[in-house]
Amino acid sequence: PAGIVSVPCAWGEEPLTIAMALDEAGWFGRASIQIRAGDASEAALRRAAAGRYAGRAFRQIPSVAQHTYFRRMGTKDEWAIRDDIHRRISSWTRTNVVVREELLRMGPCDVIFCRNLFIYFTPSTVAKFVDTFAEMLSSPGFLCVGAAESLLRTPSRFELREIGGAYVYVKP
Protein backbone atom coordinates (compact mmCIF):
# COMPACT_ATOMS: atom_id res chain seq x y z
CA PRO A 1 0.00 0.00 0.00
CA ALA A 2 0.97 3.62 -0.50
CA GLY A 3 2.07 5.13 2.78
CA ILE A 4 1.40 8.65 3.97
CA VAL A 5 2.77 10.02 7.25
CA SER A 6 1.54 13.16 8.98
CA VAL A 7 3.89 14.32 11.74
CA PRO A 8 3.26 16.27 13.90
CA CYS A 9 -0.47 15.64 13.62
CA ALA A 10 -1.58 17.68 16.67
CA TRP A 11 -5.32 17.15 17.10
CA GLY A 12 -5.65 15.21 13.85
CA GLU A 13 -6.88 17.88 11.47
CA GLU A 14 -4.11 17.32 8.91
CA PRO A 15 -4.29 13.53 8.52
CA LEU A 16 -8.09 13.70 8.47
CA THR A 17 -7.98 16.43 5.82
CA ILE A 18 -5.64 14.23 3.78
CA ALA A 19 -8.15 11.37 4.11
CA MET A 20 -11.03 13.66 3.09
CA ALA A 21 -9.11 14.93 0.03
CA LEU A 22 -8.22 11.38 -1.05
CA ASP A 23 -11.85 10.30 -0.55
CA GLU A 24 -13.11 13.30 -2.52
CA ALA A 25 -10.75 12.45 -5.40
CA GLY A 26 -11.77 8.77 -5.35
CA TRP A 27 -8.30 7.47 -4.49
CA PHE A 28 -9.44 4.98 -1.86
CA GLY A 29 -11.34 3.09 -4.56
CA ARG A 30 -8.27 2.98 -6.82
CA ALA A 31 -5.35 2.23 -4.50
CA SER A 32 -4.50 0.80 -1.13
CA ILE A 33 -3.47 3.81 0.96
CA GLN A 34 -2.32 3.79 4.57
CA ILE A 35 -2.23 7.06 6.52
CA ARG A 36 -0.24 7.12 9.77
CA ALA A 37 -0.28 10.05 12.18
CA GLY A 38 2.24 10.89 14.87
CA ASP A 39 2.78 13.56 17.49
CA ALA A 40 4.95 14.00 20.58
CA SER A 41 1.94 14.93 22.72
CA GLU A 42 -0.09 12.07 24.22
CA ALA A 43 -2.92 14.52 24.98
CA ALA A 44 -3.04 15.67 21.36
CA LEU A 45 -3.08 12.06 20.15
CA ARG A 46 -5.96 11.15 22.50
CA ARG A 47 -7.94 14.09 21.16
CA ALA A 48 -7.09 13.18 17.56
CA ALA A 49 -8.09 9.55 18.09
CA ALA A 50 -11.45 10.71 19.48
CA GLY A 51 -12.20 12.49 16.20
CA ARG A 52 -14.34 15.22 17.77
CA TYR A 53 -14.07 18.91 17.06
CA ALA A 54 -15.73 22.15 18.12
CA GLY A 55 -17.08 24.70 15.65
CA ARG A 56 -13.89 26.78 15.77
CA ALA A 57 -12.00 23.92 14.09
CA PHE A 58 -14.11 24.53 10.98
CA ARG A 59 -13.25 28.21 10.47
CA GLN A 60 -11.23 27.45 7.30
CA ILE A 61 -13.27 24.52 6.04
CA PRO A 62 -16.09 25.02 3.54
CA SER A 63 -19.48 24.36 5.08
CA VAL A 64 -20.21 21.65 2.51
CA ALA A 65 -17.10 19.71 3.62
CA GLN A 66 -18.09 20.06 7.26
CA HIS A 67 -21.56 18.67 6.57
CA THR A 68 -20.24 15.94 4.24
CA TYR A 69 -17.54 14.57 6.53
CA PHE A 70 -18.76 15.38 10.04
CA ARG A 71 -21.93 14.84 12.06
CA ARG A 72 -23.18 17.07 14.84
CA MET A 73 -23.04 15.51 18.29
CA GLY A 74 -26.05 16.31 20.46
CA THR A 75 -27.07 19.92 21.00
CA LYS A 76 -23.66 21.37 21.74
CA ASP A 77 -21.20 22.70 19.19
CA GLU A 78 -19.33 19.42 18.81
CA TRP A 79 -18.84 17.50 15.61
CA ALA A 80 -17.49 13.98 14.97
CA ILE A 81 -15.63 12.88 11.85
CA ARG A 82 -17.38 10.19 9.81
CA ASP A 83 -16.28 6.73 10.97
CA ASP A 84 -15.19 5.59 7.50
CA ILE A 85 -12.87 8.61 7.17
CA HIS A 86 -11.57 8.26 10.74
CA ARG A 87 -10.69 4.59 10.07
CA ARG A 88 -8.49 5.71 7.16
CA ILE A 89 -5.92 6.78 9.76
CA SER A 90 -4.31 3.44 10.53
CA SER A 91 -2.42 4.64 13.59
CA TRP A 92 -2.09 7.55 16.01
CA THR A 93 1.41 7.07 17.40
CA ARG A 94 3.46 8.98 19.94
CA THR A 95 6.40 10.21 17.88
CA ASN A 96 9.14 12.58 18.94
CA VAL A 97 10.83 13.66 15.69
CA VAL A 98 14.20 14.16 17.37
CA VAL A 99 14.28 10.52 18.50
CA ARG A 100 15.36 8.75 15.33
CA GLU A 101 13.98 5.33 16.33
CA GLU A 102 10.52 6.75 17.08
CA LEU A 103 10.43 8.52 13.75
CA LEU A 104 11.62 5.48 11.80
CA ARG A 105 8.70 3.47 13.25
CA MET A 106 6.37 5.70 11.21
CA GLY A 107 7.90 4.49 7.92
CA PRO A 108 8.37 3.30 5.34
CA CYS A 109 6.25 5.70 3.34
CA ASP A 110 5.85 7.52 0.05
CA VAL A 111 4.76 10.94 1.33
CA ILE A 112 5.43 12.85 4.54
CA PHE A 113 3.40 15.87 5.59
CA CYS A 114 5.38 17.86 8.13
CA ARG A 115 3.97 21.33 8.59
CA ASN A 116 4.82 23.98 11.17
CA LEU A 117 7.57 21.97 12.82
CA PHE A 118 10.86 23.48 11.65
CA ILE A 119 10.22 26.73 13.53
CA TYR A 120 10.62 24.95 16.87
CA PHE A 121 14.11 23.56 16.22
CA THR A 122 17.63 24.69 15.38
CA PRO A 123 18.79 24.19 11.79
CA SER A 124 21.11 21.35 12.86
CA THR A 125 18.22 19.49 14.55
CA VAL A 126 16.00 20.02 11.50
CA ALA A 127 18.79 18.58 9.33
CA LYS A 128 18.87 15.44 11.52
CA PHE A 129 15.17 14.65 11.38
CA VAL A 130 14.97 15.58 7.68
CA ASP A 131 17.74 13.04 7.09
CA THR A 132 15.60 10.47 8.91
CA PHE A 133 12.64 11.47 6.71
CA ALA A 134 14.81 10.63 3.69
CA GLU A 135 15.49 7.17 5.17
CA MET A 136 11.77 6.60 5.67
CA LEU A 137 10.75 7.62 2.16
CA SER A 138 10.67 5.50 -0.97
CA SER A 139 12.33 6.78 -4.16
CA PRO A 140 10.81 8.94 -5.36
CA GLY A 141 9.43 10.16 -2.06
CA PHE A 142 7.72 13.44 -1.28
CA LEU A 143 8.10 15.78 1.69
CA CYS A 144 5.45 18.46 2.10
CA VAL A 145 6.29 21.24 4.55
CA GLY A 146 4.49 24.39 5.70
CA ALA A 147 4.44 27.46 3.45
CA ALA A 148 6.80 29.35 5.77
CA GLU A 149 9.27 26.46 6.03
CA SER A 150 12.13 25.57 3.76
CA LEU A 151 15.17 23.37 3.37
CA LEU A 152 16.99 25.90 1.21
CA ARG A 153 19.63 26.46 3.92
CA THR A 154 19.60 22.90 5.23
CA PRO A 155 21.74 20.26 3.55
CA SER A 156 19.49 17.35 2.60
CA ARG A 157 18.86 14.60 0.06
CA PHE A 158 15.79 16.45 -1.22
CA GLU A 159 15.27 18.52 -4.34
CA LEU A 160 12.69 21.33 -4.40
CA ARG A 161 10.25 20.85 -7.28
CA GLU A 162 7.05 22.48 -8.42
CA ILE A 163 4.35 19.86 -8.85
CA GLY A 164 0.85 20.92 -9.86
CA GLY A 165 1.41 24.50 -8.68
CA ALA A 166 2.78 23.48 -5.27
CA TYR A 167 6.37 23.32 -4.09
CA VAL A 168 7.33 19.90 -2.77
CA TYR A 169 10.63 18.40 -1.66
CA VAL A 170 11.38 15.23 -3.60
CA LYS A 171 13.77 12.46 -2.67
CA PRO A 172 14.95 11.21 -6.08
Side-chain angles (χ1 to χ4, degrees):
I4 299 172
V5 168
S6 174
V7 61
C9 71
W11 294 347
E13 290 94 333
E14 183 168 82
L16 291 171
T17 299
I18 294 165
M20 288 184 279
L22 291 170
D23 181 70
E24 195 77 24
W27 274 103
F28 290 124
R30 295 191 301 245
S32 176
I33 301 170
Q34 185 179 68
I35 303 169
R36 294 181 297 276
D39 199 278
S41 167
E42 290 283 354
L45 289 168
R46 279 192 301 276
R47 188 165 175 171
R52 294 179 185 238
Y53 300 90
R56 180 164 165 71
F58 300 100
R59 64 191 178 280
Q60 296 181 344
I61 295 177
S63 178
V64 68
Q66 180 179 354
H67 292 286
T68 300
Y69 289 103
F70 294 84
R71 68 183 189 288
R72 187 181 290 274
M73 303 299 296
T75 57
K76 54 186 172 176
D77 189 28
E78 185 178 40
W79 295 73
I81 186 75
R82 264 183 17 206
D83 290 340
D84 63 314
I85 296 298
H86 198 260
R87 282 192 302 269
R88 295 292 181 180
I89 314 307
S90 62
S91 64
W92 302 96
T93 306
R94 187 185 176 290
T95 308
N96 183 337
V97 297
V98 298
V99 178
R100 185 174 179 279
E101 295 74 26
E102 287 186 22
L103 195 51
L104 284 172
R105 280 194 298 253
M106 297 292 292
C109 58
D110 303 292
V111 181
I112 297 173
F113 286 86
C114 176
R115 296 184 30 200
N116 306 319
L117 181 66
F118 295 4
I119 60 174
Y120 296 106
F121 296 98
T122 64
S124 62
T125 301
V126 170
K128 286 178 187 173
F129 63 74
V130 165
D131 190 56
T132 305
F133 287 163
E135 287 182 53
M136 295 166 57
L137 284 165
S138 59
S139 289
F142 304 90
L143 173 61
C144 304
V145 300
E149 297 170 309
S150 138
L151 294 177
L152 296 177
R153 295 185 180 162
T154 304
S156 75
R157 294 187 256 173
F158 292 93
E159 300 171 357
L160 182 62
R161 295 190 191 159
E162 184 179 356
I163 301 174
Y167 288 98
V168 177
Y169 288 98
V170 179
K171 174 189 164 189

